[in-house]
Amino acid sequence: MQHAIDKWLSEKLNERKVKNIWRSLPAQNNGIDFTSNDYLGFAQSEKLFHAIQQKIESLPKKNGSSGSRLLSGNSSYTEQVESKLAHIFKSQAALIFNSGYSANLAVLSSIPQKGDTILYDSLAHASLKDGARLSLATRHSFRHNDLEDLERKIKASKGKKYIVVESIYSMDGDECPLNEIVKLAERHQAAIILDEAHSTGVAGPQGAGYCVEENLQDKVDIRIYTFGKAMGVHGACVAGSKALIGYLINFARPFIYTTALSQHQVASIDCAFEFLSSNLDLQHMLAEKISLYLRAIGKLSNRTASLSAIQTILCPGKHAAKEMSEVLQNSGFDVRPILHPTVPEGKERLRICLHTFNSDDEINSLAQALVAVV
């Protein structure tokens, strides 16, 4: 006998199947990796793996943190790693979170208050939008990277104003005009919340991200760094003033009511940044791989303008995107389609991620296959 809730759930799933937007967990793909966010190859680095294991051996033998940071889950080692992160990110303090999603949720849901206004880029990550939705503040999106639209909306805003942007956008791979946004924020006394997820590790000294690379760390109020992409491990942190970190410890529900990261995960973050400090040439190597791809792909009219490791080929329509992906998969390239509702209808695409471990021959071969299939 089917329960009423199961009947409703099945109907909702069938709606997705009819619209051809059904999601399912993919099988492991053995093709050449052009889909993961492992830009620097840290997630598969044996050297980093052994460094983490060695670090763990020097720490007390614990499998889990056993509770939230405010109860039994805190440790002097976690605080040491947070101090290291604050130094790298050139901030007064840093606070570790279990994921970039929970960090974004914590910041957006707890800081803006009723009567305030959140203005977020229309292409901002789902976690930023979800955090804004949980806030009691008024929220509006502005057209992607459109400074005129942002200024028009900020002039009509009330209360404290928060501008929410990403350094590199996950679906288009383009940068935000951070210098101009800082000037706009200063004119209108607005605070900036910057998600550095896709620039962490690949930009800035010691992988400190786009904001530090542009020397704007003292002009951006709140920065969120994610470690599950270029850093190849897991977790995230918020960097900013001591007052900001103290506020999050006291008011951010995703921090207060979550079991802390295990010692192994904290050690992984620590070791990943130590490993990067000894291998900063990987940033230059990634830049060379991106340049090679851009030269090889030429001037395809339907590719987005990106200078980052994230490259996209627009192929509107869910069927077109799936078919192009299947052709590439059958040719040995792991390239996935991005479909509605992840992107708007008509903006379906192939999302291509470049890595330091992709050989020049692999990149050239992928470019040739893309030109042929597009």
Side-chain angles (χ1 to χ4, degrees), residues 293-363:
Y293 171 84
L294 293 175
R295 289 195 303 271
I297 202 69
K299 297 182 179 179
L300 278 182
S301 60
N302 54 344
R303 77 170 185 85
T304 56
S306 168
L307 299 177
S308 75
I310 302 169
Q311 300 290 326
T312 57
I313 305 292
L314 295 175
C315 34
K318 48 188 174 287
H319 296 292
K322 283 185 174 181
E323 288 172 1
M324 289 183 187
S325 174
E326 287 175 6
V327 171
L328 294 169
Q329 298 274 357
N330 291 334
S331 298
F333 303 106
D334 186 7
V335 174
R336 309 290 175 91
I338 306 296
L339 310 173
H340 173 74
T342 301
V343 293
E345 285 189 273
K347 296 289 186 179
E348 292 83 2
R349 66 199 53 206
L350 301 176
R351 181 177 185 267
I352 298 154
C353 289
L354 303 171
H355 315 92
T356 54
F357 54 80
N358 293 135
S359 71
D360 290 0
D361 286 344
E362 290 171 346
I363 292 172

Side-chain angles (χ1 to χ4, degrees), residues 82-100:
E82 287 173 333
S83 294
K84 287 183 181 180
L85 294 172
H87 178 73
I88 291 169
F89 301 138
K90 298 186 177 182
S91 61
Q92 288 183 6
L95 186 66
I96 288 176
F97 282 80
N98 289 26
S99 69

Side-chain angles (χ1 to χ4, degrees), residues 69 95-111 125-132 134 193 195 197 222-229 234-239 244 248-249 251-261 265 269:
R69 291 281 299 278
L95 186 66
I96 288 176
F97 282 80
N98 289 26
S99 69
Y101 199 107
S102 63
N104 282 341
L105 213 64
V107 168
L108 269 298
S109 65
S110 69
I111 296 177
H125 191 267
S127 57
L128 294 166
K129 295 176 181 177
D130 288 352
L134 288 172
I193 298 173
D195 184 346
I222 302 169
R223 289 173 279 150
I224 300 105
Y225 292 89
T226 301
F227 308 136
K229 296 176 173 60
H234 194 63
C237 81
V238 175
L244 167 66
L248 292 173
I249 290 170
F251 293 99
R253 294 167 71 88
F255 177 85
I256 297 167
Y257 298 107
T258 297
T259 299
L261 286 178
Q265 290 170 307
I269 296 167

Side-chain angles (χ1 to χ4, degrees), residues 95-357:
L95 186 66
I96 288 176
F97 282 80
N98 289 26
S99 69
Y101 199 107
S102 63
N104 282 341
L105 213 64
V107 168
L108 269 298
S109 65
S110 69
I111 296 177
Q113 302 293 304
K114 186 175 182 180
D116 296 338
T117 305
I118 299 170
L119 297 156
Y120 61 88
D121 190 287
S122 60
L123 296 188
H125 191 267
S127 57
L128 294 166
K129 295 176 181 177
D130 288 352
R133 190 178 296 115
L134 288 172
S135 167
L136 295 177
T138 301
R139 62 187 192 277
H140 300 290
S141 68
F142 60 91
R143 288 193 295 271
H144 177 54
N145 279 349
D146 189 327
L147 295 168
E148 290 184 3
D149 190 41
L150 171 57
E151 184 156 33
R152 186 163 47 250
K153 289 177 177 176
I154 204 169
K155 285 179 178 178
S157 299
K158 297 179 180 178
K160 295 183 180 67
K161 305 169 185 67
Y162 297 89
I163 301 171
V164 182
V165 291
E166 298 182 37
S167 54
I168 297 174
Y169 287 89
S170 60
M171 287 297 111
D172 283 32
D174 57 341
E175 298 173 349
C176 77
L178 189 57
N179 279 279
E180 290 79 5
I181 287 174
V182 164
K183 293 173 185 175
L184 191 154
E186 289 175 340
R187 285 200 302 273
H188 297 282
Q189 297 182 311
I192 299 174
I193 298 173
L194 177 66
D195 184 346
E196 294 261 26
H198 292 278
S199 68
T200 307
V202 302
Q206 305 298 312
Y210 182 52
C211 184
V212 175
E213 183 176 74
E214 295 294 307
N215 196 31
L216 294 171
Q217 62 272 7
D218 295 329
K219 297 181 180 296
V220 174
D221 306 86
I222 302 169
R223 289 173 279 150
I224 300 105
Y225 292 89
T226 301
F227 308 136
K229 296 176 173 60
M231 299 312 297
V233 289
H234 194 63
C237 81
V238 175
S241 68
K242 291 180 180 179
L244 167 66
I245 301 310
Y247 183 92
L248 292 173
I249 290 170
N250 279 274
F251 293 99
R253 294 167 71 88
F255 177 85
I256 297 167
Y257 298 107
T258 297
T259 299
L261 286 178
S262 71
Q263 187 171 249
H264 184 280
Q265 290 170 307
V266 175
S268 298
I269 296 167
D270 189 10
C271 291
F273 278 95
E274 288 182 358
F275 189 72
L276 178 59
S277 68
S278 301
N279 295 275
L280 289 173
D281 58 307
L282 290 173
Q283 290 183 335
H284 179 67
M285 185 184 299
L286 181 62
E288 288 182 334
K289 299 292 184 181
I290 295 167
S291 295
L292 172 64
Y293 171 84
L294 293 175
R295 289 195 303 271
I297 202 69
K299 297 182 179 179
L300 278 182
S301 60
N302 54 344
R303 77 170 185 85
T304 56
S306 168
L307 299 177
S308 75
I310 302 169
Q311 300 290 326
T312 57
I313 305 292
L314 295 175
C315 34
K318 48 188 174 287
H319 296 292
K322 283 185 174 181
E323 288 172 1
M324 289 183 187
S325 174
E326 287 175 6
V327 171
L328 294 169
Q329 298 274 357
N330 291 334
S331 298
F333 303 106
D334 186 7
V335 174
R336 309 290 175 91
I338 306 296
L339 310 173
H340 173 74
T342 301
V343 293
E345 285 189 273
K347 296 289 186 179
E348 292 83 2
R349 66 199 53 206
L350 301 176
R351 181 177 185 267
I352 298 154
C353 289
L354 303 171
H355 315 92
T356 54
F357 54 80

